[in-house]
Amino acid sequence: MPTIETMDRGKALDKEQFGLNVEPKYSRQYSSPHTDEIPVDVLEDIALSEADRRLAEMGYIQVYKREFSWVSCFSFAISLTAVFAGVATTFSYPLNAGGAASAVWCWLIAGAGGICIALSVSELVSAYPTSGGLYFTCKYLAPEEWVPEISWICGWLNLLGQIAGVASAEFGAAQLLLAAVSMGSDFSYTPTIGHTIAVMAAVTILHGMINSLRTSVLGKMVKLYVIFHVGVLVSACITLLVMTKDKHDSTYVFTNVFSSSGWRPTGFSFLFGFLSVSWSMTDYDATAHIAEEIKDPAVKAPWAISSAIAFTYVAGWLFTLVLTYCMGDPATILASPIAQPVAQIFYNNTGKSGGIFFTVAMFLVLSFGNIVALQSGSRTIWAYSRDEMLPLSRIWYKINKHSETPLYSVWLFTILCVLINLIGLGSYIAIASIFNLTAIALDWSYCIPIICKLLYGKFRPGPWHLGRASFFINAWAVIWTTFISIIFVLPTVRPVTLENMNYVPVLMVTVTLFVIVYWYAAGRHFYIGPRVKVQLVEVTNYTSSGNFTGEEKKKVY
């Protein structure tokens, strides 16, 4: 597999000798005040694998070792949804919104919308498998003259959404761990916001250290995780069904609607149950951000995304059913002193030991999801830096020669997640609103290239595609995202006060202004869209030493 080092030893070609144009195709060329330009290589196509050749055709050179197999990819994608912990930490939202029926039906309905987004993302990832994910696809889907602006907006929404998402998940993991501690003390200990943030910081740093290991180590860890996750999920469901003495009947589970949100009519409040699913089923393109570490990414990455989301959809709904049958009085678990209704359900039905065990299991599942999400986020920073989109790109783009991973990007992402959570020391409302921003920012970063695909007709499918159903699935993904975004910006509780106000609209305006102002103030002077970092040359005659003889056939991508 050609790498930067092997090219330096004889695989790189003289650009001037062959008269190659090494600039990107976009007409706007600027020098960057923030970054040193990362050089362009010219690469011959001999001895390239299909994946490496395709990457070179898209303008990039293979840097990472491709360590992720079928099992690793699937497990990686499953880790990101963390369905056992994801359902557990968001179960309170549909209960508050509309009771048992809201939890059951909203997962079924909203999950179908999420499936359409995931399938649309998978199709794009198959066609353009790079660590840039959906951001990179704008290069091929948007009109050439608008590629810089569109990819800039898409990229920043995706990156900010990932940072907020991992920060919120790390905060949730800390809450679960402290909930287990509280159970162990028979609830004599009550976690404070300060304790939660301190544990969050320690856990996040630990996850950063794990991400500093070689990719091969992470790949092996991921393989083991899927067994643990599925095993815990199945055992949790069986344990609750066996040990819960007084279960609700099916009529209650599927039809009981009540709301403590203050919205009238109650049916409108019922819609807020969709939020739980949107927070659980998101970050669909995370597997795409490790595409350059996957063997045959054009097939394995989209397969992993689509199959993992399908598993999450089915398993999440079944787990939700089990919880609603076994939860007892919803008002009681919502008033739990540990503020974790599902942990309280396990405590009530399985006792102290069972409650602690399954709460710690939730923590471990969510923690591993955070580890792989941090890996995905660091690769996003690395990919954006390769395109010189971020300040100090030359630093974040560096690959550590020992771990063969972008350590600077790993720790930048880690520190940003910790810093965001520190806001909670001043205002829990503010930090909760930032967490709520995650799904909107990420989902719209997916919909931007999907909309470009639908409008401009430039898409060329990869080996994994949706065929004739593509247009309808893509269209519904955009319609669903628009609908759920409206739900996200509404206040979830009425009457609205400063304490319960939904600040997501304010944050969305803030993020939008940041992206636009930063573009006009600086970005347009140095960012020209996804860049060409390598150019592939086809040669008909060559010697074993790498010296060319006879007629050379050039093809520049």
Side-chain angles (χ1 to χ4, degrees):
M1 177 185 300
T3 62
I4 289 178
E5 290 76 20
T6 58
M7 287 200 307
D8 288 343
R9 289 196 296 267
K11 295 297 183 183
L13 306 179
D14 185 351
K15 305 176 186 66
E16 295 183 359
Q17 174 186 350
F18 289 98
L20 298 178
N21 172 28
V22 297
E23 295 297 334
K25 61 184 177 181
Y26 315 120
S27 59
R28 287 171 286 183
Q29 302 288 322
Y30 304 105
S31 60
S32 169
H34 299 292
T35 61
D36 296 320
E37 187 170 320
I38 299 169
V40 178
D41 291 292
V42 182
L43 180 65
E44 63 184 79
D45 69 338
I46 59 173
L48 286 177
S49 69
E50 181 61 29
D52 293 346
R53 189 181 195 284
R54 177 59 180 142
L55 186 64
E57 290 175 358
M58 293 185 289
Y60 297 137
I61 188 171
Q62 178 64 25
V63 173
Y64 300 105
K65 289 185 177 180
R66 297 189 182 273
E67 304 279 5
F68 279 75
S69 61
W70 285 103
V71 176
S72 298
C73 288
F74 177 72
S75 187
F76 185 94
I78 287 289
S79 304
L80 288 158
T81 60
V83 60
F84 178 58
V87 173
T89 53
T90 59
F91 190 64
S92 61
Y93 294 101
L95 284 189
N96 275 313
S102 178
V104 172
W105 291 110
C106 283
W107 186 278
L108 200 63
I109 297 169
I115 288 284
C116 288
I117 300 174
L119 291 176
S120 300
V121 168
S122 298
E123 186 177 46
L124 294 178
V125 170
S126 177
Y128 315 107
T130 77
S131 293
L134 272 287
Y135 143 86
F136 174 80
T137 67
C138 296
K139 173 180 178 180
Y140 291 94
L141 301 175
E144 288 187 18
E145 63 272 21
W146 290 105
V147 167
E149 289 86 350
I150 292 175
S151 57
W152 175 269
I153 294 171
C154 180
W156 276 107
L157 283 178
N158 189 272
L159 180 57
L160 294 174
Q162 284 192 68
I163 294 171
V166 175
S168 64
E170 296 286 13
F171 190 90
Q175 287 181 314
L176 287 172
L177 185 59
L178 291 177
V181 174
S182 182
M183 284 184 191
S185 69
D186 295 319
F187 303 107
S188 61
Y189 164 71
T190 301
T192 66
I193 186 67
H195 295 166
T196 303
I197 290 178
V199 173
M200 173 281 306
V203 170
T204 305
I205 291 172
L206 174 62
H207 294 164
M209 294 171 65
I210 293 174
N211 267 279
S212 300
L213 302 174
R214 287 177 174 269
T215 301
S216 57
V217 177
L218 293 173
K220 292 175 182 177
M221 291 175 62
V222 166
K223 288 181 181 179
L224 297 175
Y225 164 80
V226 70
I227 300 173
F228 173 76
H229 187 180
V230 175
V232 166
L233 181 60
V234 172
S235 63
C237 292
I238 293 174
T239 301
L240 282 178
L241 291 173
V242 170
M243 298 193 69
T244 302
K245 296 179 180 179
D246 298 317
K247 300 182 184 69
H248 292 297
D249 58 28
S250 296
T251 301
Y252 176 90
V253 168
F254 288 96
T255 64
N256 178 264
V257 177
F258 79 95
S259 174
S260 58
S261 67
W263 277 93
R264 294 292 180 271
T266 303
F268 192 90
S269 174
F270 186 94
L271 299 177
F272 291 112
F274 291 139
L275 303 183
S276 170
V277 190
S278 297
W279 284 319
S280 300
M281 293 177 64
T282 190
D283 206 4
Y284 305 102
D285 79 327
T287 305
H289 293 297
I290 63 162
E292 294 171 39
E293 299 166 73
I294 298 174
K295 303 169 185 176
D296 193 14
V299 175
K300 292 178 182 175
W303 174 86
I305 295 169
S306 56
S307 57
I309 290 298
F311 170 83
T312 299
Y313 181 44
V314 175
W317 188 63
L318 293 176
F319 185 39
T320 299
L321 279 176
V322 171
L323 291 176
T324 51
Y325 273 108
C326 303
M327 67 182 177
D329 180 17
T332 301
I333 62 171
L334 287 171
S336 169
I338 56 177
Q340 294 292 330
V342 174
Q344 190 67 48
I345 291 173
F346 281 106
Y347 183 88
N348 293 343
N349 293 301
T350 65
K352 180 178 177 180
S353 297
I356 293 174
F357 174 81
F358 283 109
T359 303
V360 171
M362 292 179 213
F363 165 76
L364 293 175
V365 167
L366 189 54
S367 290
F368 205 92
N370 294 341
I371 290 171
V372 297
L374 200 155
Q375 180 184 0
S376 174
S378 67
R379 300 313 189 261
T380 303
I381 290 178
W382 178 84
Y384 291 3
S385 298
R386 175 171 59 185
D387 292 332
E388 301 171 42
M389 178 177 162
L390 304 178
L392 304 176
S393 285
R394 197 170 186 85
I395 294 177
W396 317 129
Y397 181 70
K398 288 182 178 179
I399 300 293
N400 183 271
K401 64 180 181 180
H402 299 294
S403 67
E404 298 180 325
T405 57
L407 287 188
Y408 292 124
S409 291
V410 167
W411 285 102
L412 174 62
F413 195 91
T414 301
I415 292 170
L416 289 174
C417 291
V418 173
L419 292 178
I420 284 181
N421 274 310
L422 293 181
I423 297 173
L425 293 173
S427 171
Y428 179 75
I429 297 174
I431 192 64
S433 297
I434 292 174
F435 296 162
N436 293 345
L437 181 67
T438 300
I440 296 181
L442 285 176
D443 286 356
W444 277 107
S445 75
Y446 310 145
C447 283
I448 288 173
I450 293 172
I451 291 171
C452 290
K453 173 181 178 289
L454 292 173
L455 291 180
Y456 301 113
K458 299 176 64 178
F459 176 70
R460 297 294 178 268
W464 194 104
H465 58 88
L466 300 172
R468 294 182 179 180
S470 179
F471 173 83
F472 303 100
I473 293 174
N474 294 170
W476 183 250
V478 176
I479 293 170
W480 176 256
T481 301
T482 303
F483 168 73
I484 202 66
S485 296
I486 295 172
I487 304 299
F488 263 109
V489 300
L490 294 174
T492 56
V493 178
R494 298 189 70 181
V496 178
T497 66
L498 289 176
E499 287 71 28
N500 63 29
M501 179 179 173
N502 184 357
Y503 288 91
V504 169
V506 178
L507 288 173
M508 280 303 300
V509 172
T510 302
V511 168
T512 303
L513 287 176
F514 164 77
V515 172
I516 293 174
V517 171
Y518 187 26
W519 170 256
Y520 282 103
R524 63 193 178 98
H525 297 299
F526 65 87
Y527 179 69
I528 59 173
R531 294 177 181 248
V532 174
K533 294 301 176 186
V534 66
Q535 291 192 316
L536 186 65
V537 178
E538 293 181 352
V539 185
T540 56
N541 297 302
Y542 58 90
T543 66
S544 58
S545 63
N547 297 318
F548 296 92
T549 63
E551 179 183 357
E552 292 85 10
K553 177 184 176 183
K554 298 181 295 184
K555 185 176 181 181
V556 181
Y557 294 87

